[in-house]
Amino acid sequence: MNSVLFLRLAGPLQSWGASARFARRTTETAPTKSGVIGLLAAALGRDRTADLTDLAALLFAVRIDQPGTRLRDFQTAHHADTDKAMPVSERFYLADAVFVAALAGDDTLIRTLHTALQAPVYLPYLGRRSCPPQGPLDLGVMDTDDPVQALSAQEWQASDWYREQRRRDRTVTLTILAEDTAHSPVGDMLRDQPISFDPRHRRYALRSMTSTQTEVLNPRYTPAVRNRHAPLPVPRHEPEALLSPMDGP
Amino acid sequence: MTRTILDVHILQTVPPSNINRDDTGAPKSAVYGGVRRSRVSSQAWKRATRKAFDDLLDPAELGVRTKKVVDALTGRITTLEPSVTPEQAWPMAAELVQAATGAKIEAPTRKSGGKDASDQGPEGQAPQSSYLLFLSAHQLDALAKLAVEGIGKGAEPKVFVKEKEVKARAKRSASTHHSVDIALFGRMVADAADINVDAAAQVAHALSVHPVDMESDYFTAVDDSNTSAEPGAGMIGTVDFNSATLYRYAAVDVDLLAKNLDAGLTDAERMGEPVRRAVEAFIEGFAMSMPTGKANTFGNHTLPDAVIVKLRSSRPVSFVGAFEKPVIHHETGEGHVRAACKALAEHIPAIEKTFGATADATWILRVGEPTADLAPLGTPVDLRPLITEVGQAIADRLRKQA
């Protein structure tokens, strides 16, 4: 039997690198599979060198509930001995974003992960250690095979202020980035399929994903009130009335 | 397994300042809750905390970061066994460092001293590692002990270190008994992933609880040597700044900290003692430190308005959500601290109740009447009692766990 685990990934800052190297640490626009699998492996207490095959085999999809904005951070460092400036590094973050991630797989494994999230062995973070999650990650488990369909059924998880901004919309359209199964058509490629987190030779394979859209209800929807004010009477505008008639021919 | 996790939440107000700036010289910022906030990066405050450790901890509890590890190790060998000369110790020290850390050890290429370097040329210096190595005093001592054994046997260094048991002991020396700063903040070594350490502390970027506008100070400076024939400013410029009430958050995984420090594995009596010292230093260092950015320009040496410390057994909880809706000053007309405390006092019980995430213990350090709303949330304490009480609670828990 299969089921799907949902995570709400929200916090002031997140950073999900798939091709970040050296002094320029970029982020994708949505959580990566390797990042989320890493978070789950850490919750289970697996070491970086541990076997990941079972977790990597989970089918991954993520919904962009609140896209956030990109933030570029600039970091300097100094040599401990000479106090000389070291190369400057750039780090990119997603600020003010909210995502819902879904992982589909064998029910026993999904339940184990769900329990591990309640009391994680290694503390969770959103892609980078300085990005602790805001609020609990856990959104529960659903008995289904299809993460995309399951994500479409999830309530809109955007922040209250963001939903309020869209209060005139009864529904909102959200993007889901879903991992392609072997027999489905090939979409965009991203190198974030984790093979090993061993710090001596981290390895990631290419993964293909397809972008789809889903429409969800806006819980803050408030229809515009029509005719709230009766049309104001147009004041008479006859300046000539103030003029006294001229005597003349 | 019972977990021990420590959450530290701090509200701190800074006057006009530029604590942490980006490449344009402006204070760092981030959008949160749809509005721009002042931000101080986690790495800036971690560095300030680590600097504070110099005054809080014995140098023996801190790491040495240097290329001259062979020198450092040789020093310990000759202290342990005064009959050994440095020249005798170097080869053994070099082989052991290489075996323990995987770092490449080579003769220094840089000439030291003046023009006449004949008496202290490269051949007069100990070999060095090719990059900075971060080793604790305990780690160096363990390696020195091993070296003295080898020298005592009169063994050839290369042959001695090749022995399976010696090699394993050398490796173990570098991967256990980490110094407090390494155990808390981690260690990165460029090409020896073996001895990396997972940091036990997570420090979040500090964010203001309210929206901020960037402000700019236009200044002119007078050239003192100019005569009246040369009127005008010596130079003109601008300095960007803002002022903010910051929410600062850090979580310490005490179990991982204990593992990194290797506390009490050999000595049941002292169980929890190194961890207690590390936790105490972290709370004091984190609460009392301030990154030094533009400190001489703005003199922004403030202390926290409130510190909340929570001891938890399942997972850490950040309360940054209390400020997603920004605290707006003119809503209350009473400053940001009072409004921020009110927001926290509503948010904390609500989130803990909803998710069943109650803390095992809560300590509240607060200053003045504007923070009164925080009082019912936990045990009131001042800084000293806060540090010793949290330290005691951690030591008790670890002893029970053992």
Side-chain angles (χ1 to χ4, degrees), chain A residues 11-13 47-48 66 69 71-76 78-81 83 86 90-91 93 95-96 98 117-125 129-138 159-161 165 198-200 202, chain B residues 1 3 5 21-23 28-36 39 41-43 47 65-67 132 193-194 196 198-205 207 249 251-253 256 259 313-316 318 320-321 324 351 355:
Chain A
L13 298 175
D47 287 325
R48 288 179 199 275
Q66 182 179 324
T69 53
L71 175 81
R72 172 176 163 277
D73 190 42
F74 149 92
Q75 185 179 341
T76 60
H78 285 84
H79 195 289
D81 276 352
D83 210 39
M86 304 294 276
E90 278 178 299
R91 281 142 209 255
Y93 297 87
D96 223 359
V98 182
L117 279 177
Q118 317 295 319
V121 177
Y122 296 115
L123 304 189
Y125 50 86
R129 205 182 286 271
S130 59
C131 307
Q134 181 231 313
L137 294 165
D138 167 36
S159 304
D160 206 43
W161 69 270
Q165 257 185 5
D198 187 335
R200 281 163 301 192
R202 288 169 216 259
Chain B
M1 191 179 83
R3 296 277 276 117
I5 293 159
R21 52 194 189 271
D22 67 15
D23 45 353
K28 286 184 178 178
S29 67
V31 173
Y32 183 51
V35 300
R36 185 150 298 276
R39 174 171 69 94
S41 70
S42 61
Q43 58 269 14
R47 182 179 153 85
R65 181 158 31 173
T66 178
K67 280 185 172 183
L132 296 169
D194 273 1
N196 275 1
D198 263 318
Q202 280 184 12
V203 177
H205 294 239
L207 285 181
Y249 168 71
V252 181
D253 182 339
L256 182 57
K259 198 176 134 210
S313 42
S314 59
R315 55 187 154 176
S318 156
V320 72
E324 189 180 30
I351 199 157
F355 297 102

Side-chain angles (χ1 to χ4, degrees), chain B residues 24-25 215-220 235-241 294:
Chain B
T24 68
E215 297 183 66
S216 194
D217 180 36
Y218 168 83
F219 68 88
T220 65
M235 70 175 288
I236 58 173
T238 55
V239 186
D240 294 329
F241 67 93
K294 289 260 178 210

Side-chain angles (χ1 to χ4, degrees), chain A residues 45-127:
Chain A
R46 288 204 195 164
D47 287 325
R48 288 179 199 275
T49 51
D51 181 39
L52 287 177
T53 338
D54 54 342
L55 297 178
L58 295 171
L59 201 57
F60 176 74
V62 62
R63 192 178 72 183
I64 302 174
D65 281 35
Q66 182 179 324
T69 53
R70 199 167 289 250
L71 175 81
R72 172 176 163 277
D73 190 42
F74 149 92
Q75 185 179 341
T76 60
H78 285 84
H79 195 289
D81 276 352
T82 62
D83 210 39
K84 257 192 202 154
M86 304 294 276
V88 162
S89 67
E90 278 178 299
R91 281 142 209 255
F92 289 80
Y93 297 87
L94 294 173
D96 223 359
V98 182
F99 305 98
V100 180
L103 293 124
D106 173 64
D107 186 57
T108 323
L109 177 59
I110 292 294
R111 304 261 165 209
T112 311
L113 291 172
H114 187 230
T115 316
L117 279 177
Q118 317 295 319
V121 177
Y122 296 115
L123 304 189
Y125 50 86
L126 307 177

Side-chain angles (χ1 to χ4, degrees), chain B residues 93-105:
Chain B
E95 287 298 327
L96 280 174
V97 169
Q98 198 156 337
T101 64
K104 215 172 148 197
I105 304 291

